[in-house]
Amino acid sequence: MDPIEIGLWVTGGLLVLVVIGMRVAFAAALAGLVGLFLIFWSKKGFDPEDIGWAVTVAAKTAGQVPHSKVASNALSLIPTFILIGYLAYYAGLTRALFEAAKKWLAWLPGGLAVSTVFATAGFAAVSGASVATAAVFARIAIPEMLKINYNKQFAAGVVAAGGTLASLIPPSAILVIYAIIVEQDVGKLLLAGFVPGAFSALVYGVLIVGIAVIFKSVGPPVGGFTWRERFAALPPALPILAVVIIIIFFVYNPFGEKAWGTPTEGGAIGAFIVFCMALYRGMRWKQLKAALLETAKLTVMIFSIIWGVLIYVRFLGFADLPGAFSDWITSLEMSPMLILICILLAYAVLGMFMDAIGMLLLTLPVVYPAVMALNGGEAVSAADSAFGMSGPMCAIWFGILVVKMAEFCLITPPIGLNCFVVAGVREDLTVQDVFKGVTPFFIADAVTIAGLIAFPQIVLWLPSLA
Amino acid sequence: TEWNVSVWGKRRAFTEHIEKLAELVSEKTGGEFTMNVSYGGLSKPKENLDGISIGAFEMAQFCAGYHRDKNRSITVLELPFLGVDNLAEEVAVSHAVYAHPAVAEEMAQWNARILMTSPMPQYNLVGTGDPRDTLDKMNGMRVRATGGIGEAFKAVGGVPTSVPAPEAYQAMESGVVDTVAFAQHAHLSFGTINQATWWTANLNPGTVNCPVVVNIDAYESLTDAEREALDSSIDESITHYLDNYGKLLAKWDEVLAEKNVQKVMISDAELENFRATAAGPIRDQWITDMSAQGLPAQELYDLLVSTLEKTRAGN
Amino acid sequence: MAGASPVLEDGSVLSWLDRKLLIVERFFGLLAGLAIFSLMLLAVRSVGGRVTLNAPLLGYVDYIEQLMPLIAVLAVSFAQRDGTHIRMDLLVEHLRGRALWLFELIGVLLILVLVVFLIWGSWAHFQRSFDFGAPLWSRDSSTDIALPIWPSKLMVPVAFSVLALRLLIQVYGYGRALILGLEAPAAVPLVMDPAAQAAAEAEMLDDVEAADGPD
Ligand code: NA
Ligand code: NA
């Protein structure tokens, strides 16, 4: 067996392990360990005498990874972002946002639903996790919509779809993970998430207004808020604005001065502001301890996949499978754009059955180099490239596209997690209800993704300034 | 025989001797002995020595300042203001120190044998805003510098910060550091020159020492012909590296002009002051600390100085 | 998918071991949580010092690089206890009884094998950075302020050893369920369908919201 063959066999074995329900993190690490062993043993011509040596070198090489690959400044953004999300509950930011959005936007047709979408988008700016966002708003927004006779299924769909925005709009753990795996600038990727996130929310909003205009029964407008009430609703939501501004300014200063620091520092300072707010709202050691334990658990879940997959990636480095896959992709007699769309469709299918973070971590080490090769390589200029953008810009663009695909997977059957969460929170709703209600938003997401492909400037404008 | 070679970043002047070595060895053995140079796929830069020790790959490059405690003896080459003027001198002093038994012994603990150095010119600063051309202005300066150079700036009140090289550009842009100390090729390949408004032409605070090592077992299990091909290619690889780097240095002034970067000359008085503050005390401290750990520190330092004198006398 | 599953408790020795180990796991989880919290404080100190006094925290990156491995592995067993580590449920969700316990057993046995090798490898990684004869026992140090790295490297095999104990409990728990054909064995995470799982997740947020104060 040559290294490429070993790479293919081990990758096949990894898929089997994942399908039979082994925890993804450990399946990837085990595949990597076995792969490393085979690679080292093959160097000695599979001589039985060298088995011991190959096992030792493989174990020691794999055993480095859980320490060395996570000892990284950029990766510290992930626990910080998760912590922000947990603290945000205690800071009472969700209710404040929904109230503010309601007072400003509820006069529109389908007003409460539009308010919900923009409140979830706002909450996305302090929350790194889509599922948590959906759960919180299922509690706050659905009762209010039902009170004024919204269609039950539609109200649930709005929340499930709105919840997905958290992974695109920074802080986003998924964007950080993407940046680390593909070794691109974390700050630029975070910046790149803002506009597509807002664009996505806008498409949702337009869709809701359209539906509400056509089907009068869906959701009536709610008027009667005075300007005084509107402005009074803003201050409790202000910490969100502070976090957004801090994260932006720590990556890029729009006034042409130096940025305030690194994304790592920005995330941590944002967390500190939300922490102070939570203290002010009455959080004490008992609640903080609960938040820290939950943050630690969610963080270790994500990091286990990271180091597990990186053991597998270390093996791929020795087997050079990504190189072989890129060569194959670029040798296809198809237009690069068509291949890219096929790749995104494959993600849509895979995402039906897998968790977003696991899916991205498992596939990107092989898929990302291939996409970069399709565009003409890491160092290609915009003029010579297949997609009309330089290598680094293509990396950012593709990142936003796959993260949007991962969001999409949160609301598609059979395992759209956000839909299950919404149904779980509301006893009067079945999962089928939520899936039915969320269907119009598939169209919205398809429009968004098509828009991001047709107009890459939506993604690239902000990061290209920095 | 096929060797895996672990380096990092992308192909640049700093890795040209390794690429040349791979080419020569393959040529001389008629393709029997090949080297597979991997840019970051096999290990993290700071773990290259660990990988050699394990036997995961056969050859690797690393820099002494990344992890002083792993390679205490060769940090003598990173002391500030040694007075090394050019790359040929850097090669001479490095190889003399590498040949010292204390160095060989420390490397052998990692199952490593040093093959050659990756000579680098003096790490001069680039920065934005007003040039930091006096010690006063360096007080409180946040500078990307590692090892002995970092120590030197600390001695005059600077704040050394070790941003990983690929992030240096962003660290400058974001104000995490005010200035970056690099060799010229790194200012070019990591883009810090694009941020800069000035470059110190004559500060010459010191450099970083980055040897190329091989796994001892792998080296010893080469056939005689292969080992001969490897050993005999080192000088030629270094020569190729020096030629290539020389071309880069020759173009450096053009690059500065093109990017509109001011060449800052620091006055002799300020330089003398800097040396007095940084060079002597840091060297003495190093000798005291390392002797306490049982290394022949004074001997290593004297070897360096005498080699430098000999090299100069020879020219 | 993500999210914890229920672990039953009863009067058996196995369940007693499970609860005792949980105490250790919760302690490690809290340590990891405090490490995350200190990331925030470090940034406040570093940025605050830089902005106000031009005195950033010397070695900021070094400290973060020391903390991250703790954050990444200390709670690994805490998360394994209740099945927080994600997986694809497509198959196991449709299994019941012995067939389910068989796949669960295979899963934890494979993880156990992996973890034994990782304990070996990460211990070796620690050993290479540790030297009784050197100052601070250090043979590997951080770049800026030369902090010894061995303490943070040591935490990895320690965390994996706790995980190995947890896996032994789970191997025994699933193995017993397989042989005896149990319905709901103690001390192992039970599979929930996505709906039940979402309900559990929502319940967890209930606890959080209850503390949400007067809004
Ligand atoms: Na977010
Ligand atoms: Na799905």
Side-chain angles (χ1 to χ4, degrees):
Chain A
M1 280 200 290
D2 66 10
I4 300 283
E5 274 175 337
I6 296 176
L8 289 173
W9 277 108
V10 168
T11 303
L14 170 58
L15 290 181
V16 171
L17 290 179
V18 168
V19 167
I20 67 164
M22 191 171 171
R23 312 273 162 190
V24 172
F26 303 122
L30 185 62
L33 179 70
V34 172
L36 283 168
F37 160 71
L38 290 174
I39 289 278
F40 294 133
W41 198 25
S42 77
K43 283 201 82 157
K44 303 278 182 177
F46 297 108
D47 184 341
E49 273 190 14
D50 288 311
I51 286 187
W53 175 84
V55 169
T56 311
V57 179
K60 288 183 174 178
T61 304
Q64 288 183 303
V65 175
H67 182 276
S68 84
K69 292 298 274 192
V70 302
S72 135
N73 189 21
L75 274 178
S76 73
L77 272 171
I78 292 173
T80 317
F81 283 177
I82 293 171
L83 183 63
I84 293 189
Y86 276 104
L87 293 176
Y89 298 119
Y90 294 103
L93 289 174
T94 37
R95 172 70 65 182
L97 260 172
F98 183 63
E99 289 301 321
K102 192 169 80 181
K103 296 204 166 93
W104 285 83
L105 296 169
W107 56 271
L108 287 162
L112 275 187
V114 178
S115 310
T116 305
V117 162
F118 282 94
T120 52
F123 189 65
V126 284
S127 167
S130 292
V131 176
T133 311
V136 172
F137 280 90
R139 225 169 272 272
I140 300 177
I142 293 181
E144 299 229 9
M145 286 191 269
L146 295 188
K147 230 185 285 172
I148 57 165
N149 292 324
Y150 263 65
N151 175 308
K152 191 171 75 171
Q153 297 169 343
F154 180 68
V158 169
V159 170
T164 64
L165 295 172
S167 6
L168 206 49
I169 298 175
S172 154
I174 292 202
L175 276 177
V176 176
I177 289 170
Y178 175 85
I180 302 282
I181 290 284
V182 307
E183 296 179 333
Q184 291 294 323
D185 188 340
V186 176
K188 289 210 167 128
L189 265 155
L190 290 178
L191 275 188
F194 278 108
V195 179
F199 175 68
S200 202
L202 201 65
V203 173
Y204 284 169
V206 169
L207 177 87
I208 292 169
V209 172
I211 291 177
V213 166
I214 298 168
F215 306 100
K216 293 277 183 258
S217 67
V218 160
V222 181
F225 296 114
T226 64
W227 285 99
R228 176 187 289 270
E229 282 173 319
R230 285 181 180 168
F231 283 105
L234 291 181
L238 278 184
I240 306 245
L241 197 62
V243 172
V244 172
I245 289 176
I246 282 172
I247 289 180
I248 292 186
F249 273 68
F250 268 82
V251 178
Y252 155 69
N253 189 329
F255 301 112
E257 300 286 306
K258 282 189 170 181
W260 294 354
T262 60
T264 320
E265 291 169 338
I269 300 287
F272 185 68
I273 286 176
V274 180
F275 170 67
C276 292
M277 180 82 186
L279 275 187
Y280 172 72
R281 298 291 304 245
M283 183 182 71
R284 291 297 171 261
W285 168 241
K286 185 165 166 281
Q287 293 88 344
L288 178 63
K289 188 177 155 193
L292 291 181
L293 272 175
E294 286 306 317
T295 306
K297 200 193 270 184
L298 189 55
T299 303
V300 82
M301 184 272 270
I302 293 176
F303 271 92
S304 300
I305 313 180
I306 292 178
W307 60 251
V309 167
L310 287 174
I311 290 177
Y312 170 68
V313 168
R314 178 63 53 87
F315 151 67
L316 288 183
F318 279 93
D320 198 30
L321 195 63
F325 185 69
S326 309
D327 290 348
W328 176 72
I329 284 272
T330 44
S331 73
L332 292 177
E333 306 254 321
M334 271 162 80
S335 90
M337 186 55 87
L338 199 57
I339 298 178
L340 179 76
I341 289 171
C342 289
I343 290 175
L344 292 178
L345 285 177
Y347 272 117
V349 174
L350 198 57
M352 288 181 182
F353 305 102
M354 269 197 83
D355 180 270
I357 290 175
M359 170 176 91
L360 291 189
L361 274 165
L362 277 181
T363 55
L364 282 175
V366 177
V367 172
Y368 170 78
V371 170
M372 293 304 280
L374 270 184
N375 189 45
E378 300 264 352
V380 74
S381 69
D384 301 331
S385 68
F387 300 130
M389 61 190 82
S390 67
M393 285 293 147
C394 179
I396 293 174
W397 181 61
F398 181 64
I400 298 296
L401 286 178
V402 292
V403 170
K404 183 66 205 171
M405 289 312 301
E407 290 192 327
F408 181 55
C409 298
L410 285 170
I411 54 171
T412 52
I415 315 184
L417 203 55
N418 269 14
C419 298
F420 282 101
V421 166
V422 171
V425 171
R426 302 285 315 175
E427 286 181 358
D428 53 336
L429 283 166
T430 66
V431 178
Q432 285 72 23
D433 285 334
V434 189
F435 275 127
K436 215 176 267 178
V438 88
T439 318
F441 294 93
F442 296 172
I443 302 165
D445 275 351
V447 168
T448 304
I449 290 165
L452 298 181
I453 293 176
F455 305 103
Q457 306 89 302
I458 299 173
V459 177
L460 300 179
W461 168 69
L462 199 49
S464 67
L465 295 179
Chain B
T1 309
E2 188 183 15
W3 272 15
N4 283 319
V5 185
S6 177
V7 301
W8 65 90
K10 47 191 177 186
R11 186 170 173 169
R12 57 199 187 282
F14 181 61
T15 56
E16 272 311 303
H17 54 332
I18 297 171
E19 295 282 356
K20 185 70 181 180
L21 189 67
E23 188 189 310
L24 289 173
V25 165
S26 172
E27 241 169 54
K28 288 183 186 175
T29 58
E32 279 296 302
F33 182 14
T34 56
M35 291 180 183
N36 203 347
V37 185
S38 170
Y39 288 84
L42 310 184
S43 175
K44 257 175 67 155
K46 286 183 193 172
E47 251 90 41
N48 268 345
L49 210 40
D50 291 81
I52 288 288
S53 156
I54 294 169
F57 36 80
E58 290 78 9
M59 190 164 135
Q61 188 179 32
F62 67 90
C63 295
Y66 287 172
H67 32 54
R68 282 167 256 179
D69 290 356
K70 277 185 186 170
N71 40 238
R72 295 163 301 163
S73 55
I74 55 171
T75 54
V76 67
L77 292 159
E78 294 193 348
L79 287 173
F81 296 109
L82 288 172
V84 174
D85 279 338
N86 56 45
L87 293 182
E89 289 176 7
E90 183 65 29
V91 172
V93 295
S94 296
H95 286 185
V97 169
Y98 295 166
H100 192 284
V103 174
E105 193 191 326
E106 190 176 34
M107 282 298 118
Q109 292 176 11
W110 296 98
N111 207 4
R113 180 182 190 282
I114 298 183
L115 212 57
M116 59 183 172
T117 191
S118 316
M120 279 192 283
Q122 295 288 308
Y123 266 38
N124 276 294
L125 295 178
V126 300
T128 51
D130 272 350
R132 309 255 185 179
D133 53 3
T134 66
L135 292 198
D136 262 359
K137 291 182 192 167
M138 288 180 198
N139 191 9
M141 168 179 79
R142 297 191 293 274
V143 55
R144 188 269 177 204
T146 58
I149 306 166
E151 296 286 321
F153 286 114
K154 205 156 92 183
V156 296
V159 182
T161 306
S162 73
V163 185
E167 289 167 29
Y169 175 88
Q170 209 212 341
M172 242 183 122
E173 192 181 31
S174 63
V176 168
V177 297
D178 303 311
T179 54
V180 173
F182 266 155
Q184 284 89 335
H185 79 271
H187 280 312
L188 289 173
S189 81
F190 296 112
T192 40
I193 194 69
N194 303 324
Q195 281 273 329
T197 53
W198 51 269
W199 172 73
T200 60
N202 67 337
L203 184 60
N204 299 344
T207 187
V208 169
N209 194 266
C210 305
V212 176
V213 294
V214 293
N215 173 290
I216 290 179
D217 298 334
Y219 181 76
E220 282 172 357
S221 62
L222 291 175
T223 65
D224 289 344
E226 288 168 343
R227 197 172 320 109
E228 159 61 22
L230 179 64
D231 290 342
S232 67
S233 302
I234 291 171
D235 285 342
E236 198 177 338
S237 301
I238 289 280
T239 308
H240 170 78
Y241 180 104
L242 295 181
D243 287 348
N244 183 61
Y245 215 111
K247 282 181 215 150
L248 190 149
L249 290 180
K251 270 202 313 210
W252 180 247
D253 280 341
E254 286 170 39
V255 173
L256 293 182
E258 178 196 318
K259 311 232 177 229
N260 204 11
V261 176
Q262 183 193 347
K263 245 172 122 167
V264 173
M265 298 298 285
I266 293 161
S267 73
D268 286 347
E270 286 290 338
L271 280 177
E272 197 40 56
N273 200 352
F274 196 174
R275 272 189 216 112
T277 319
I282 290 175
R283 178 196 61 219
D284 294 345
Q285 188 64 45
W286 185 87
I287 292 174
T288 314
D289 289 350
M290 292 303 151
S291 304
Q293 295 181 36
L295 282 176
Q298 186 69 50
E299 205 180 307
L300 285 168
Y301 180 74
D302 292 343
L303 172 64
L304 192 158
V305 173
S306 64
T307 309
L308 191 55
E309 279 164 8
K310 243 184 286 168
T311 314
R312 289 216 179 119
N315 289 340
Chain C
M1 296 289 142
S5 310
V7 178
L8 297 182
E9 297 177 359
D10 61 21
S12 64
V13 176
L14 184 67
S15 179
W16 181 83
L17 286 173
D18 162 55
R19 278 169 286 149
K20 290 296 159 200
L21 190 59
L22 178 60
I23 297 173
V24 179
E25 289 167 336
R26 282 183 69 92
F27 174 68
F28 275 30
L30 191 61
L31 282 185
L34 289 172
I36 295 170
F37 192 73
S38 56
L39 287 178
M40 195 172 86
L41 300 182
L42 280 174
V44 171
R45 163 69 186 81
S46 176
V47 176
R50 188 171 71 219
V51 172
T52 56
L53 306 166
N54 192 26
L57 180 60
L58 190 58
Y60 175 55
V61 175
D62 287 17
Y63 290 117
I64 291 184
E65 290 185 355
Q66 298 275 322
L67 285 173
M68 283 310 293
L70 309 190
I71 292 168
V73 300
L74 269 187
V76 67
S77 181
F78 187 41
Q80 176 67 20
R81 194 244 175 192
D82 59 8
T84 295
H85 290 291
I86 63 166
R87 61 164 163 188
M88 209 165 127
D89 288 338
L90 214 54
L91 177 71
V92 285
E93 197 179 285
H94 295 289
L95 298 176
R96 290 286 173 272
R98 284 205 160 92
L100 174 61
W101 307 136
L102 178 66
F103 276 94
E104 295 281 25
L105 182 63
I106 294 172
V108 287
L109 276 173
L110 286 176
I111 302 175
L112 184 59
V113 171
L114 167 76
V115 166
V116 168
F117 280 101
L118 287 182
I119 291 173
W120 174 17
S122 58
W123 175 257
H125 194 50
F126 154 73
Q127 270 191 321
R128 284 192 301 275
S129 68
F130 186 85
D131 180 353
F132 262 121
L136 300 172
W137 298 338
S138 170
R139 205 146 77 88
D140 187 8
S141 48
S142 68
T143 309
D144 277 345
I145 52 174
L147 292 172
I149 296 182
W150 64 262
S152 113
K153 285 187 177 169
L154 178 59
M155 284 301 115
V156 180
V158 168
F160 283 151
S161 300
V162 176
L163 177 59
L165 294 178
R166 167 57 60 196
L167 289 164
L168 285 174
I169 289 177
Q170 293 184 344
V171 166
Y172 186 81
Y174 285 129
R176 190 167 150 267
L178 175 67
I179 292 166
L180 302 178
L182 299 177
E183 274 290 307
V188 292
L190 300 174
V191 175
M192 286 193 291
D193 59 44
Q197 197 175 324
E201 206 155 306
E203 210 166 285
M204 194 195 78
L205 285 173
D206 258 343
D207 301 342
V208 170
E209 283 242 322
D212 200 3
D215 67 342

